[in-house]
Amino acid sequence: MRIGITSTVLALALLQGGCAFEPVQPWEKDLLAKRAMQLDGYPIDQYLDDHIYYSKEGSSGGQAVGGGGCGCN
């Protein structure tokens, strides 16, 4: 019983300590502002990939789906 209470208190202390962090400083944000770090950092490349996928598969969207278009994944 005592070991369970001790481990629970220890776990809660570790969880609370994990939430104590320093905010990101302005000079530390330069890497996140780069184009390659954006979700759509290179829109022309994404457009070309979509165009090639549409031309090959005859559909749009679903770029992460496997298969060759014949329905036999």
Side-chain angles (χ1 to χ4, degrees):
M1 176 79 172
R2 194 164 182 93
I3 294 174
I5 293 173
T6 305
S7 63
T8 303
V9 170
L10 181 63
L12 289 174
L14 288 173
L15 286 174
Q16 186 176 5
C19 295
F21 64 91
E22 294 184 30
V24 178
Q25 300 299 323
W27 57 85
E28 297 173 331
K29 296 180 184 178
D30 63 339
L31 295 176
L32 297 176
K34 290 186 177 182
R35 178 178 286 222
M37 294 295 289
Q38 303 300 315
L39 290 176
D40 192 14
Y42 301 100
I44 294 176
D45 290 343
Q46 183 65 37
Y47 171 76
L48 291 174
D49 288 343
D50 289 341
H51 179 71
I52 291 169
Y53 185 81
Y54 178 77
S55 298
K56 290 174 116 179
E57 298 292 328
S59 63
S60 62
Q63 289 85 357
V65 178
C70 63
C72 56
N73 294 330

